Amino acid sequence: MGQDAEANGSTACVRDCFKKYVVTKVNKRVESNKLRAPFEDAPTSLLLPISFGSSSTSLLQILDQQLRNQKDRTGRCSFQIEVLFIDQSAAGQQEEYLEVWRCLKERFPSHSYSLARLEDIFDSAADAQLDGPALEATAADGTALPKQQRLEKFLSSLPSTTSRTDMIGIIRSRLITSLATNRGCKIILYGDSTTRLAERTLSETAKGRGGAIPWLTADGHSPHGVKTVFPMRDLLRKEIAAYATMTDPPLTSLLLRQQKSATNVVTSSKHTTIDDLMGQYFDSVEQNYPSIVANVVRTSSRLVAPPPDTGVGRVCSVCRLPLAEGSEGLRWSGDQESSEGHIATGRSEDAAAPCYGCARSMLNP
């Protein structure tokens, strides 16, 4: 009996220490990025896109606890959170989420919640429009296509599963940025772990967007004027998944996206994407060699984006990420263009060409 009680006490102590470790990592990122407004100012508005995975859900839980503790101590909150979920049903990539969405709002009632659909990218906001072939807004008879059909037509025109997955991610990212701007949120909080950032570093490099890595994986201002922060960037995916089971109550009932085993991806399948392969690789590596995962992210963090006041020059017409210096990307014919002698202004009307990665995704081989 005594030994069992001692073992249970030790286990509880280890769990408490581990939870404190996770929360401390997030708090340090919050402090270093100055997300909290000064006491005399209005609370900072933060947009938190949630995917019902362990990382974004755990981030919401940690920030919610911070705000409750802060309100108990000072009677005010230094930031406010708007939780955003993007419905990807039109892309065929969405599980049933309404019940989990309801439970999430009941669990964390102090925040604002909003839903958007992937096809909302085609709404009237100018900065949320996509350019390029196969994006016509009319049917063969000249009638306007509903935005869901327009999105489905666009995705079905892409040459591969990798291209479709790539474009869905780009559309989701641009929609989040547009919604943040429209709602007055100056900071977007992403729940990406060290593992996820390492996957993105290599997958985006393989797709031809290596030059945009500083804007895709680092904390700081994006080319769109909205700051992006990754508070979970110092934690491995497996650490966050473990934390989600240790909260009181556990977060597992709020998760739609469960951990995928590395063996779940069949490398010989024609439907396997670059993102799948990178996910498979890093899922395997983080189990036995977590330092390799961390080294990838630390190395990519040495690539520093130019300060926002210097301008970003020309941007891709699809992903809106800066084009490589001295290049306008590719023409839709696939030919390389040069911007030698061109004076870049960084305005949206300069975005006349896609970057190499987007062109390769959207053009038939």
Side-chain angles (χ1 to χ4, degrees):
M1 291 286 291
Q3 290 180 342
D4 290 343
E6 184 178 345
N8 290 337
S10 298
T11 301
C13 181
V14 170
R15 290 168 64 92
D16 289 343
C17 289
F18 178 75
K19 289 191 290 184
K20 185 176 181 180
Y21 160 80
V22 171
V23 171
T24 300
K25 288 282 189 179
V26 175
N27 286 343
K28 285 183 176 180
R29 281 289 165 184
V30 170
E31 292 292 343
S32 64
N33 283 284
K34 300 179 180 178
L35 302 186
R36 299 187 177 96
F39 187 82
E40 65 276 6
D41 293 347
T44 305
S45 294
L46 311 176
L47 185 69
L48 197 167
I50 198 161
S51 63
F52 297 117
S54 58
S55 295
S56 58
T57 307
S58 295
L59 177 58
L60 175 60
Q61 186 270 339
I62 292 170
L63 294 177
D64 178 78
Q65 183 64 54
Q66 279 190 27
L67 286 176
R68 286 190 284 122
N69 292 341
Q70 188 179 79
K71 194 166 185 179
D72 290 342
R73 292 194 312 268
T74 66
R76 70 179 297 274
C77 297
S78 59
F79 59 89
Q80 56 191 19
I81 300 172
E82 177 166 345
V83 181
L84 171 68
F85 179 71
I86 305 295
D87 183 340
Q88 299 183 178
S89 300
Q93 291 192 353
Q94 189 59 64
E95 301 176 64
E96 180 55 47
Y97 64 87
L98 291 178
E99 179 61 22
V100 180
W101 181 246
R102 182 187 65 80
C103 293
L104 188 77
K105 292 193 286 186
E106 290 180 355
R107 176 81 176 266
F108 308 109
S110 303
H111 315 296
S112 301
Y113 291 83
S114 58
L115 285 169
R117 299 183 181 278
L118 202 63
E119 57 267 29
D120 292 342
I121 190 69
F122 294 118
D123 281 344
S124 58
D127 64 340
Q129 294 297 315
L130 289 171
D131 307 312
L135 282 165
E136 294 82 2
T138 57
D141 59 2
T143 59
L145 283 174
K147 57 186 180 182
Q148 180 173 343
Q149 291 184 23
R150 190 180 177 195
L151 178 65
E152 292 170 350
K153 177 186 176 183
F154 167 56
L155 294 176
S156 65
S157 73
L158 297 174
S160 67
T161 306
T162 289
S163 296
R164 285 187 286 276
T165 301
D166 187 36
M167 284 298 125
I168 289 169
I170 288 171
I171 292 171
R172 183 177 186 273
S173 177
R174 287 191 53 186
L175 180 57
I176 290 170
T177 301
S178 179
L179 291 172
T181 302
N182 293 340
R183 296 174 188 186
C185 298
K186 296 184 177 180
I187 301 175
I188 303 175
L189 302 180
Y190 288 103
D192 297 30
S193 63
T194 297
T195 314
R196 180 71 187 98
L197 292 175
E199 291 171 9
R200 182 177 299 148
T201 297
L202 296 195
S203 64
E204 293 299 329
T205 301
K207 294 173 197 174
R209 296 193 193 93
I213 292 300
W215 288 279
L216 292 169
T217 63
D219 294 343
H221 287 277
S222 73
H224 319 292
V226 180
K227 185 175 182 178
T228 57
V229 178
F230 302 92
M232 312 288 275
R233 66 179 298 120
D234 296 323
L235 296 162
L236 295 169
R237 180 182 290 142
K238 64 179 182 180
E239 293 174 328
I240 299 171
Y243 174 83
T245 67
M246 297 180 185
T247 59
D248 185 22
L251 299 173
T252 48
S253 62
L254 301 176
L255 306 184
L256 279 181
R257 300 174 56 198
Q258 302 298 325
Q259 291 293 103
K260 295 186 294 183
S261 169
T263 59
N264 288 344
V265 180
V266 182
T267 56
S268 61
S269 171
K270 66 178 181 179
H271 298 298
T272 300
T273 67
I274 291 175
D275 292 338
D276 290 334
L277 292 174
M278 292 304 169
Q280 177 192 28
Y281 172 71
F282 281 107
D283 276 346
S284 175
V285 168
E286 83 162 357
Q287 299 304 318
N288 300 312
Y289 307 101
S291 61
I292 293 179
V293 183
N295 282 340
V296 172
V297 177
R298 278 197 293 267
T299 301
S300 67
S301 66
R302 296 175 184 173
L303 302 172
V304 180
D309 56 356
T310 63
V312 296
R314 292 178 63 84
V315 297
C316 171
S317 60
V318 180
C319 66
R320 290 294 193 260
L321 292 169
L323 294 171
E325 185 177 353
S327 169
E328 295 183 3
L330 300 182
R331 295 188 182 95
W332 287 115
S333 63
D335 298 328
Q336 189 79 33
E337 291 184 350
S338 171
S339 62
E340 185 175 354
H342 176 76
I343 300 176
T345 67
R347 298 175 298 177
S348 59
E349 58 264 30
D350 286 328
C355 65
Y356 178 82
C358 289
R360 292 271 63 90
S361 281
M362 297 179 71
L363 293 172
N364 288 315

